Amino acid sequence: MSETTLPVDRPVAPPPARVGNRGLVLATLLTCQLMLILDVTVMNVALPRIQDDLRFTPTGLSWVMSGYTLVFGGLLLLGGRAGDVFGRRRMFVAGITLFTVASLAGGLAGSAEMLLAARVAQGVGAAMAGPSTIALITTTFTEQHARMRALALFSAMASSGFAIGLIVGGLLTEWLSWRAVLFINVPFGIAIAILAVRLVPETDRRRARLDLPGAITATLGVGALVYGFIRAAEVGWGDTVTLAALAAGAALIAAFVLIELRAEAPILPLRLLADRDRAAAYVNFFLGPMAGMSMFFFLTQYLQDVRDFGALTTGFAFLPMAGTLFATSRLIPRLLPRFGPKPLSMFGSALMVAGMLMLTQLTVDSTYPAGLLAPMILMGGGMGLAFSPLNVIIMSTVPPADAGAAGGALQTMQQLGGTLGLAILVTVFGSSSRAATAAGQSPDQVLTTGATDAFQVSVVIAALSFLVALTFRARSRR
């Protein structure tokens, strides 16, 4: 049999969250999302101390980051559909509990192997909880303006979490220890799990078929693509294993699409892509992280290696971008009903292009106020306007039964885009750096040249997101 029927008890609909609890429900869900995104970047600044403490090899050290990203990205589609089938609050609580236990184990790790195992378990927990987070927001906040506001805040957390992760990682590593970067998840994870059980309404369970062939091909396909992109960033695009992983991933994704076309209850209902605006939003959720990841990755190195910023100062250098992004996202509930997604996404993408263009002009002598502050603000405002509406576009009209699958697909596109973008840009950086070294440039000049050339590619990607924004339907003002 291609699909397995899951007997489920007759659902007993729980009472909806009380109006007085809605703020706390939203805070619980948003804190979870922030914590999951933080762990993508929060350990960046702690890696040197982790290497010294646990005696990681340089190659093994990269898997402290990649192990989490690979499992998180590979299991998101399965986690999203599992929430639809088994109950979203149930998956949310189980996922955040696993994530919390894994964080504690990672903080206590006495060997490299134990830390990597904990990071993989964190990725599994994040993939279980993440899609249900956005699905629970959609089904809990049913009034249009409240849902739009909640989804805009979710987007702000998802985007600014990368920058906040650098700040938190710098603070904890410099003041306490790299282990505190993992231990900090424990009290927040416990609080989130308890509040979710008490306040977050459970969605109905229903008799459904779990699309096992779709789940297997999607998980292995996305996992192979993510692994291929990560390996390409480490060893280059000519590596045999890299090419084999990417080819296998592409073949599995093609098989996945064929399975979904025939499945009775697909893990990713392709009808979600039938709406033009929703399909365009998914594409831009792929392109946005592709362009944005270069700023976090290369500017972190530029600030520390060229401008001699400390880990904590580097984290705070991203604060204007995070603050602008969050403030802009708060305006989305007012701006989106009035103007529609098209002008907001176009203007936001144009701001991103402008910010990236300014970053291509960096030199070894550029100061933070003159060379970096303005691009940070432009990127924060651009990302807020261009991508905060996308959550609303995707989730506001999706059928409730497919909310988990839609949320899983959304976050999968985000993970794939960020991973692929980083692999492409690191390749550009490496090629440019080798040429600069051969030309006799200093180490600071080599890094700056490689970073600015990578930013040029990011300009092209941001421009593509502008072109995709042109396909959104024009909407009259209300």
Side-chain angles (χ1 to χ4, degrees), residues 195-256:
L195 289 173
V197 171
R198 292 178 60 86
L199 298 176
V200 177
E202 177 62 283
T203 53
D204 291 346
R205 289 191 298 166
R206 54 193 176 82
R207 185 174 296 276
R209 294 179 182 276
L210 184 61
D211 176 18
L212 291 182
I216 293 170
T217 52
T219 300
L220 294 179
V222 173
L225 289 177
V226 172
Y227 173 76
F229 297 151
I230 290 172
R231 187 172 176 86
E234 295 174 354
V235 301
W237 293 91
D239 176 68
T240 302
V241 176
T242 298
L243 296 176
L246 294 175
L252 286 165
I253 292 299
F256 167 71

Side-chain angles (χ1 to χ4, degrees), residues 150-188:
L151 289 173
L153 288 172
F154 175 90
S155 182
M157 290 293 183
S159 301
S160 60
F162 294 109
I164 296 173
L166 296 174
I167 298 171
V168 173
L171 280 170
L172 294 175
T173 302
E174 195 159 304
W175 290 356
L176 298 172
S177 161
W178 67 264
R179 297 180 186 275
V181 173
L182 291 164
F183 285 145
I184 193 66
N185 291 331
V186 176
F188 284 100

Side-chain angles (χ1 to χ4, degrees), residues 365-392:
D365 299 318
S366 297
T367 63
Y368 181 83
L372 289 170
L373 182 58
M376 290 274 193
I377 294 173
L378 286 173
M379 286 295 294
M383 292 171 68
L385 288 173
F387 303 115
S388 292
L390 302 183
N391 280 314
V392 180

Side-chain angles (χ1 to χ4, degrees), residues 413-427:
M413 296 298 284
Q414 186 181 41
Q415 289 293 319
L416 278 177
T419 307
L420 174 59
L422 189 58
I424 293 172
L425 295 168
V426 166
T427 303

